[in-house]
Amino acid sequence: MPGQHKRKRSRERAHRRAAAVRGHWEPLFSTQEQGEMKEYVRGLATERGISPECVRIDQFCGRLTHPTSYRVSVFVPEGSG
């Protein structure tokens, strides 16, 4: 598949960077609406000045009984209270 090796190297670099800085992911926002989630992420960048590298979006895929939901988390470095 074209570009697969490049994506793999990119993910590996991201994992190494994350391992170099100790901390945890703190959930900030959860919703079932994709548009609402996108608006919240835009607000993080403009209002709070949080860089996109520090934001993680988890998508929990829904099935017949559970709707798809989204959770936005931000990386908090260790020792930054």
Side-chain angles (χ1 to χ4, degrees):
M1 179 178 286
Q4 184 175 358
H5 189 63
K6 183 178 178 180
R7 285 190 301 273
K8 181 179 179 183
R9 283 193 318 252
S10 175
R11 282 192 303 267
E12 288 171 352
R13 281 193 304 269
H15 287 299
R16 283 194 300 271
R17 277 194 311 269
V21 178
R22 298 187 56 89
H24 65 278
W25 290 96
E26 185 174 310
L28 295 179
F29 183 73
S30 184
T31 185
Q32 293 178 356
E33 299 294 325
Q34 185 179 18
E36 190 177 358
M37 179 266 307
K38 286 182 179 182
E39 186 66 31
Y40 185 80
V41 171
R42 275 190 224 111
L44 284 176
T46 57
E47 296 167 11
R48 290 187 176 180
I50 296 176
S51 67
E53 294 85 29
C54 294
V55 176
R56 181 175 78 185
I57 300 170
D58 298 312
Q59 178 179 356
F60 302 102
C61 296
R63 295 290 188 264
L64 295 175
T65 58
H66 302 290
T68 299
S69 61
Y70 304 92
R71 182 174 61 194
V72 178
S73 303
V74 67
F75 186 75
V76 179
E78 193 173 275
S80 67

